[in-house]
Amino acid sequence: MASQEVPKTCKVILSDTIAKKLLAEVRETLAKVQDPNATKPTLAAFLANDDPAAAQYADWSKKTCEENGFNFDLRKVDKEVLEDAIVAANQDDSVDGIIVYYPIWAQNHQQDRYIQETVALTKDVEGLCHTHLFNMYHNVRFLDPPTNHKKSILPCTPLAIVKALEHLQIYNPILAYGNRLFGKTITVINRSEVNGRPLAALLANDGATVYSVDINGVQVFTRGSGIRAPRHKVLDKEGWGLKDVLPLSDVVIGGVPTENFKVPTELIRDGAVCINFSSYRNFDGPAVKEKASIYVPSIGKVTIAVLLRNLVVSDPVPVSANRRV
């Protein structure tokens, strides 16, 4: 009797698959809010570094914008005049949203933070200005409470990973909104102020126990026992490392921006979900497919879809033909 082939246990999900549904929602929302005689919404993108990954992201952004009813205006500027260029875009009525490709000053994160604050709140579609970040960390979901008509924008890459987890049904729709990761343990390997820390906060605010790992050690983000706290708290886990957190994790998310780092496959628990959002491969692809139940090798195209979603959400009021969208 011929032996039966054992089915593969790992499902590889590409970012295109996840982005497709989000982009359909974006087009539907845009059709509702945009007067058919109005100008297409314009996204101004500022490139002030020589990072090949940023250039590739810009190319993807341009293609996705043009395919989905948006204008994409890439502005390559010297970093010394970037602030003036952003201020001009803030005041330009033909610009509806602004993004900046980071990092700009690799050794000076405070300077990058200053640039994030330079983008006007009304045109910040990356969710990186203080108001949006304050709301995210404090689990405030609207800009206009108690009316709650205008959603606070969430950072693009962290929100893209949330949308990926929703697509993968890691979020439990039976539970109340805001608690749908209750019972899940997630490790995020990156604690940058742009991606890793906001992501850990978002996941913890949705009910997960999140281990945030970087070169300085491990922190745990949680809403406490029974997720009774309204927003997350952060505790240091002295002496902990990947060897302590990976075997506990239902989901492992890698975002280390170097080709020299690989998540130790032998520490990943059988059946874990593994997601890579670094421009480098943080997982050993063939090896992780032997351990993971689901593997998402990149998230970039979902991030671009979320960027356009943020651009549409940031202006939810129907627009007349007399106003540039």
Side-chain angles (χ1 to χ4, degrees), residues 43 90 95-100 102 113 115-133 143 151-156 307 310-311 313-314:
L43 179 65
N90 286 340
V95 173
D96 299 280
I98 295 172
I99 64 170
V100 182
Y102 298 99
R113 186 78 197 99
I115 291 296
Q116 290 168 20
E117 287 298 322
T118 304
V119 178
L121 175 64
T122 55
K123 298 192 179 184
D124 175 21
V125 293
E126 293 186 281
L128 294 177
C129 71
H130 175 75
T131 299
H132 290 314
L133 288 176
L143 289 171
K151 279 191 172 182
S152 191
I153 297 297
L154 296 171
C156 291
L307 187 69
N310 281 353
L311 178 55
V313 168
S314 68

Side-chain angles (χ1 to χ4, degrees), residues 34-266:
Q34 183 184 27
D35 187 295
N37 297 317
T39 306
K40 293 178 180 180
T42 295
L43 179 65
F46 289 91
L47 183 61
N49 63 36
D50 55 3
D51 181 2
Q56 183 183 50
Y57 185 38
D59 289 342
W60 286 347
S61 300
K62 175 179 172 63
K63 182 174 184 291
T64 305
C65 280
E66 292 175 350
E67 288 175 349
N68 290 278
F70 296 82
N71 293 322
F72 181 77
D73 182 4
L74 180 63
R75 303 181 182 187
K76 297 181 180 180
V77 299
D78 187 275
K79 62 185 178 182
E80 299 303 330
V81 298
L82 177 59
E83 179 184 5
D84 291 339
I86 292 173
V87 170
N90 286 340
Q91 299 169 351
D92 185 348
D93 290 340
S94 70
V95 173
D96 299 280
I98 295 172
I99 64 170
V100 182
Y101 296 107
Y102 298 99
I104 303 160
W105 285 270
Q107 304 303 320
N108 190 342
H109 299 305
Q110 290 300 320
Q111 194 78 354
D112 279 6
R113 186 78 197 99
Y114 177 79
I115 291 296
Q116 290 168 20
E117 287 298 322
T118 304
V119 178
L121 175 64
T122 55
K123 298 192 179 184
D124 175 21
V125 293
E126 293 186 281
L128 294 177
C129 71
H130 175 75
T131 299
H132 290 314
L133 288 176
F134 176 90
N135 285 352
M136 179 201 65
Y137 282 120
H138 288 79
N139 207 13
V140 176
R141 306 206 174 202
F142 292 89
L143 289 171
D144 58 344
T147 308
N148 294 348
H149 288 158
K150 191 170 181 63
K151 279 191 172 182
S152 191
I153 297 297
L154 296 171
C156 291
T157 298
L159 181 56
I161 295 169
V162 167
K163 291 299 177 184
L165 291 172
E166 289 178 345
H167 178 87
L168 301 174
Q169 300 179 13
I170 306 303
Y171 275 73
N172 186 346
I174 295 175
L175 298 179
Y177 180 71
N179 291 343
R180 292 180 174 177
L181 287 178
F182 183 42
K184 300 296 183 183
T185 299
I186 301 175
T187 288
V188 178
I189 311 171
N190 176 301
R191 198 156 59 239
S192 71
E193 295 299 328
V194 174
N195 292 319
R197 187 184 296 276
L199 174 59
L202 280 176
L203 299 176
N205 282 341
D206 280 341
T209 295
V210 183
Y211 292 108
S212 172
V213 184
D214 73 355
I215 58 173
N216 297 312
V218 177
Q219 293 180 332
V220 59
F221 289 56
T222 175
R223 280 170 51 200
S225 177
I227 57 173
R228 293 184 180 89
R231 68 183 182 93
H232 73 280
K233 306 288 186 183
V234 182
L235 296 172
D236 289 317
K237 301 295 289 184
E238 295 292 342
W240 281 42
L242 289 175
K243 65 179 181 6
D244 302 290
V245 300
L246 290 182
L248 305 175
S249 299
D250 304 296
V251 180
V252 179
I253 301 171
V256 181
T258 173
E259 59 185 347
N260 298 323
F261 174 79
K262 287 287 186 290
V263 178
T265 307
E266 69 276 8

